[in-house]
Amino acid sequence: KNEVEQSPQNLTAQEGEFITINCSYSVGISALHWLQQHPGGGIVSLFMLSSGKKKHGRLIATINIQEKHSSLHITASHPRDSAVYICVLGGGSNYKLTFGKGTLLTVNP
Amino acid sequence: DGGITQSPKYLFRKEGQNVTLSCEQNLNHDAMYWYRQDPGQGLRLIYYSQIVNDFQKGDIAEGYSVSREKKESFPLTVTSAQKNPTAFYLCASSITLWGEQYFGPGTRLTVT
């Protein structure tokens, strides 16, 4: 069983829709990261969180440590949000990061 | 502007040749990493370095080598021993080991 599972694998939305991408994991972590990878390949770190909720513009990330689950929400989605979103588990300074396979989001105008 | 640069963006080599991918950062980060990405797969760790003159093998180090002679630089050599070298290679850095990662733009290597 993979330590980290993302769902859905692929998501197509219309511009303006509210988007939710889920990440479930099975191991103890100290932090969880959300990354965005654009079609050209470049990766940007969106959030690093260890509890609760963080918001940046139209992006919101939440984490429930007890349920081992995190969600990434995008409000008022836009075609420029089209990218692969990757969930990454962090175990602390002595543990390597564990990368999810990513969710491909396509937002149509 | 602070950031990570990788060069070149696209690289083509013949089978049997060694090739070195460049990674430079001016973020003053101690830790640096090399990842490989194949279609449909998550990022896989090749090598990482916590500090200058120190580096450790990641999950898929066979056929690769690195050096960390300067804080700013962490070049990756793909040797002829790497069986399937064609892939997208990403370099990253962080302030501390396994902290929030800052990624370079990547190098797409094609070996024929």
Side-chain angles (χ1 to χ4, degrees):
Chain A
K1 184 182 186 300
N2 291 331
E3 292 178 337
V4 55
E5 297 277 357
Q6 287 187 236
S7 62
Q9 286 187 315
N10 295 282
L11 180 57
T12 300
Q14 288 301 122
E15 184 173 356
E17 286 184 1
F18 181 82
I19 303 292
T20 296
I21 298 170
N22 297 298
C23 176
S24 297
Y25 53 93
S26 57
V27 295
I29 65 170
S30 63
L32 185 143
H33 308 245
W34 280 102
L35 309 178
Q36 179 191 56
Q37 185 171 30
H38 280 285
I43 293 180
V44 174
S45 177
L46 298 175
F47 297 103
M48 184 173 80
L49 65 166
S50 54
S51 65
K53 173 178 163 178
K54 286 191 175 181
K55 184 176 190 293
H56 185 254
R58 294 181 294 107
L59 301 177
I60 303 165
T62 64
I63 188 168
N64 185 318
I65 296 293
Q66 287 73 31
E67 294 186 3
K68 292 186 167 58
H69 182 268
S70 175
S71 292
L72 176 69
H73 304 286
I74 304 175
T75 61
S77 60
H78 190 275
R80 65 174 175 267
D81 297 325
S82 297
V84 175
Y85 293 84
I86 304 169
C87 171
V88 186
L89 309 182
S93 60
N94 293 324
Y95 297 90
K96 291 179 283 188
L97 301 177
T98 302
F99 289 80
K101 292 187 177 182
T103 294
L104 174 60
L105 171 65
T106 303
V107 182
N108 294 317
Chain B
D1 284 334
I4 302 180
T5 56
Q6 291 184 244
S7 60
K9 191 170 177 66
Y10 298 95
L11 191 53
F12 298 89
R13 280 293 183 270
K14 294 289 187 186
E15 194 174 317
Q17 293 179 335
N18 291 354
V19 59
T20 297
L21 280 59
S22 165
C23 177
E24 303 278 332
Q25 56 99 358
N26 60 5
L27 299 167
N28 201 33
H29 287 174
D30 281 323
M32 296 187 75
Y33 316 80
W34 274 104
Y35 295 97
R36 169 181 173 140
Q37 187 177 40
D38 294 282
Q41 294 199 35
L43 274 69
R44 293 184 290 169
L45 181 66
I46 305 173
Y47 268 97
Y48 65 98
S49 169
Q50 185 172 6
I51 201 166
V52 175
N53 293 322
D54 177 72
F55 51 83
Q56 303 295 330
K57 292 182 180 179
D59 300 316
I60 55 164
E62 187 176 346
Y64 300 98
S65 66
V66 294
S67 63
R68 185 88 188 275
E69 297 174 2
K70 297 188 299 181
K71 188 175 186 177
E72 302 80 20
S73 179
F74 191 41
L76 172 74
T77 296
V78 185
T79 74
S80 56
Q82 168 51 232
K83 299 302 180 192
N84 297 295
T86 295
F88 187 55
Y89 291 88
L90 285 153
C91 178
S93 70
S94 61
I95 295 173
T96 56
L97 190 61
W98 312 125
E100 184 174 12
Q101 310 244 302
Y102 293 75
F103 286 85
T107 291
R108 196 166 298 277
L109 173 65
T110 302
V111 176
T112 58

